[in-house]
Amino acid sequence: LNCCAFNSFRFLVKGGLAGAAVYVAYDQGLLGSGIEGAEALKKAQETLPPAIQEWTDYLGWEVRAAQLPATPKIDFSLSASWNKGVHTVMGALSAAPSRACEYTVEGWKYVKDLMK
């Protein structure tokens, strides 16, 4: 009984963390359009270095600016990448019925050759 309660508690904690992560991603605009995602990424790049410095100061760690890695520069269009991915997936889905027919014909030929 104790093990079952512990597993249920772990499941609830993991589910709560996953739900919170989805909420934060939605709240920050990461699940919106490509433009909203690019704006959220830009905001994170501006916010992270000062936040890291604040935490290191709070914890009493001495971290010089030279010790912190530079924020990576991302130079690509998030909306263009998203659109390319959508086009690729939709192209594969539209070709799936004809490919399935081709593979079925090839499979039947292979089975007939094995029966000979």
Side-chain angles (χ1 to χ4, degrees):
L1 182 69
N2 193 12
C3 181
C4 183
F6 180 70
N7 286 336
S8 297
F9 178 72
R10 282 180 45 192
F11 176 76
L12 289 175
V13 169
K14 287 181 182 180
L17 290 174
V22 170
Y23 173 75
V24 168
Y26 175 76
D27 187 49
Q28 295 299 318
L30 295 175
L31 300 178
S33 69
I35 295 169
E36 291 173 351
E39 289 174 2
L41 180 63
K42 184 177 178 182
K43 186 167 71 170
Q45 287 176 334
E46 294 169 353
T47 305
L48 276 177
I52 292 171
Q53 186 64 44
E54 182 180 332
W55 272 97
T56 55
D57 291 345
Y58 176 75
L59 295 173
W61 296 342
E62 184 178 336
V63 178
R64 294 180 190 89
Q67 291 176 328
L68 291 175
T71 306
K73 300 293 181 195
I74 299 174
D75 188 26
F76 73 97
S77 172
L78 195 60
S79 60
S81 298
W82 173 261
N83 290 341
K84 183 179 178 185
V86 169
H87 285 288
T88 302
V89 169
M90 291 302 144
L93 289 176
S94 67
S98 61
R99 292 269 168 91
C101 290
E102 291 172 14
Y103 294 147
T104 303
V105 169
E106 289 177 17
W108 277 113
K109 284 182 184 177
Y110 179 75
V111 170
K112 286 180 184 178
D113 290 343
L114 285 178
M115 300 293 261
K116 289 182 182 180

